[in-house]
């Protein structure tokens, strides 16, 4: 098997139900966080790792993702004529990359989405990024995972410690702490209840996978939510192969959720050179107003 990770896979075929009605006819992945669609943050994370082959798994109503990463000849010409160099650079920065799109014909789950890339990945290891897990751009999570993979040659899952009140939203692992953020995984459960969760270590949307996963996914029966679950396939894989977890210590936003999306927007806006100053002033005004409101409410309740 080839050791080098050359391809990154972006499952984007989901229905985006948590964002309806916004996602009725347009993809969740294209919702902007300040001025970039959500998926672009994940794409740029991969670009920073020097990976140049991108496979996006799409579905119905997802065309705009393809248009977004395509070259836009007319727009480029216009920006050139107007001498808008910065914007031109901004919209052409993906033009040299190879994007391939695979349609997931039905939204049958993350495991099913991964299985769709089998004919194109063949015997290579690959990275998987779930674009609604948005992480701070300066973090080197994927880079670290790739380095670890090159040493260990086993699948690696990104982990995060989450509050037990949120544990039911994630795939959860049971593992042995090997130090330096590395875990040897002994078991995985998809979205367990608080009572059944083996730990507070949740899988977050960055994976390094190996092609052994495909034959397992092919035979897998639907799991939680009636979907083909990647977590179930990984549990099966554990019988044959070691799987590691790598603890992420940086900032992550669950931008697939309304509150997480709003938090990501606020944080990225505060870092955006164009709006940060005015926006932070605005936030301070809002905070002041909320504080007064709460003070008033507390007083009337006394
Ligand atoms: C998926 C996976 C889950 C993982 C999560 C990370 O769930 O099935 O194991 O913990 O992504 O974001 P989803 O959020 O798509 O329901």
């Amino acid at each position: 098997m080839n050791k080098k990770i050359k391809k990154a896979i972006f499952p984007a075929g989901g229905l985006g139900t948590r964002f309806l009605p916004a996602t009725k006819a347009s993809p969740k992945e294209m919702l902007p966080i300040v001025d970039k669609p959500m998926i672009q943050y994940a794409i740029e994370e991969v670009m920073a790792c020097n990976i140049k082959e991108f496979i996006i798994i799409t579905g119905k109503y997802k065309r705009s993702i393809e248009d977004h990463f395509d070259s836009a000849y007319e727009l480029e010409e216009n920006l050139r004529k107007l001498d808008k160099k910065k914007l031109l650079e901004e919209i052409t920065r993906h033009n040299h990359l190879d994007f391939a799109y695979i349609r997931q014909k039905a939204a049958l789950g993350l495991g099913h989405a991964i299985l769709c890339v089998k004919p194109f990945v063949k015997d290579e290891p690959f990275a998987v990024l779930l674009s609604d897990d948005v992480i701070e751009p300066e973090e080197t999570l994927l880079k670290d995972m790739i380095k670890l993979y090159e040493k260990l040659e086993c699948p690696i899952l990104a982990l995060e410690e989450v509050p037990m009140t949120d544990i039911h939203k994630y795939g959860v692992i049971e593992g042995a702490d090997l130090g330096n953020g590395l875990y040897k995984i002994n078991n995985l459960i998809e979205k367990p209840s608080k009572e059944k969760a083996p730990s507070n270590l949740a899988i977050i949307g960055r994976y390094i996978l190996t092609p052994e996963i495909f034959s397992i996914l092919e035979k897998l029966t639907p799991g939680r939510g009636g979907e083909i679950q990647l977590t179930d396939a990984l549990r099966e894989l554990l019988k044959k192969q070691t799987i590691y977890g790598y603890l992420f210590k940086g900032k992550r936003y669950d931008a697939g959720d309304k509150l997480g999306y709003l938090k990501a927007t606020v944080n990225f806006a505060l870092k955006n050179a164009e709006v940060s100053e005015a926006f932070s002033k605005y936030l301070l005004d809002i905070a002041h107003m909320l504080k007064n409101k709460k003070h008033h409410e507390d007083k009337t309740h006394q």
Side-chain angles (χ1 to χ4, degrees):
M1 189 176 65
N2 200 320
K3 228 172 107 169
K4 192 131 184 70
I5 294 168
K6 293 188 288 192
K7 292 184 173 67
I9 317 293
F10 301 81
L15 300 175
T17 44
R18 286 188 284 173
F19 270 105
L20 282 170
T23 47
K24 188 179 167 201
S26 34
K28 169 181 77 177
E29 293 75 14
M30 289 299 290
L31 291 174
I33 296 177
V34 187
D35 53 5
K36 275 197 273 187
M38 199 187 284
I39 192 168
Q40 190 171 329
Y41 288 87
I43 297 278
E44 286 171 5
E45 216 179 300
V46 174
M47 284 167 73
C49 297
N50 232 348
I51 295 177
K52 295 194 174 65
E53 294 173 47
F54 296 75
I55 302 181
I56 305 186
I57 306 162
T58 69
K60 251 196 175 59
Y61 310 120
K62 302 278 182 167
R63 271 278 171 75
S64 55
I65 301 178
E66 296 181 36
D67 292 335
H68 183 73
F69 293 109
D70 195 3
S71 61
Y73 181 75
E74 265 182 49
L75 179 60
E76 287 168 24
E77 271 310 295
N78 279 330
L79 293 177
R80 220 165 265 130
K81 272 185 209 144
L82 297 167
D83 203 26
K84 303 230 176 213
K85 288 198 186 77
K86 202 152 176 278
L87 276 180
L88 184 64
E89 197 187 297
E90 198 56 58
I91 67 149
T92 52
R93 75 157 84 142
H94 310 108
N95 284 8
H96 67 290
L97 302 168
D98 283 329
F99 282 91
Y101 296 90
I102 298 176
R103 292 274 286 225
Q104 186 183 7
K105 293 182 186 74
L108 298 179
L110 179 58
H112 177 258
I114 302 296
L115 187 55
C116 294
V117 302
K118 182 186 171 202
F120 308 93
V121 166
K122 298 199 177 87
D123 66 344
E124 291 172 34
F126 54 98
V128 174
L129 289 94
L130 308 185
S131 58
D132 53 10
D133 273 331
V134 175
I135 65 172
E136 297 275 12
E138 62 265 32
E139 297 297 344
T140 59
L141 174 61
L142 192 65
K143 267 191 199 156
D144 293 347
M145 290 172 74
I146 291 173
K147 256 194 229 142
L148 273 174
Y149 173 78
E150 283 166 0
K151 208 163 85 188
L152 302 166
E153 290 185 49
C154 288
I156 299 168
L157 321 180
L159 304 174
E160 191 182 77
E161 288 179 339
V162 303
M164 286 313 266
T165 42
D166 285 341
I167 204 82
H168 62 282
K169 298 180 185 166
Y170 298 94
V172 181
I173 69 123
E174 186 185 325
D177 186 349
L178 304 178
N180 291 329
L182 194 65
Y183 284 79
K184 183 177 175 293
I185 296 179
N186 300 320
N187 195 13
L188 317 88
I189 311 177
E190 179 66 8
K191 305 199 172 93
S193 64
K194 198 163 73 182
E195 292 71 31
K196 294 212 170 118
S199 74
N200 67 340
L201 291 171
I203 303 167
I204 58 168
R206 302 292 181 273
Y207 306 75
I208 304 289
L209 299 179
T210 54
E212 287 81 18
I213 200 76
F214 295 129
S215 58
I216 297 174
L217 284 168
E218 269 165 344
K219 289 183 218 117
L220 207 65
T221 49
R224 190 154 177 113
E227 295 186 341
I228 305 288
Q229 296 291 355
L230 179 61
T231 306
D232 295 345
L234 289 165
R235 188 172 51 251
E236 201 52 35
L237 184 63
L238 264 185
K239 293 178 188 161
K240 301 191 237 171
Q241 201 179 10
T242 307
I243 303 178
Y244 292 98
Y246 181 64
L247 192 63
F248 177 53
K249 292 251 174 66
K251 190 92 191 105
R252 178 189 64 97
Y253 304 94
D254 178 5
D257 169 84
K258 283 192 192 83
L259 185 60
Y261 175 79
L262 292 170
K263 286 182 184 173
T265 302
V266 168
N267 277 283
F268 280 87
L270 286 173
K271 290 182 177 188
N272 181 288
E274 209 180 309
V275 295
S276 68
E277 206 183 317
F279 188 59
S280 50
K281 270 196 198 128
Y282 175 70
L283 284 184
L284 283 171
D285 286 348
I286 298 248
H288 188 67
M289 187 191 81
L290 289 174
K291 215 170 149 194
N292 282 344
K293 193 170 159 236
K294 185 157 184 315
H295 184 68
H296 182 74
E297 278 168 5
D298 288 350
K299 257 185 138 177
T300 47
H301 283 129
Q302 268 167 17

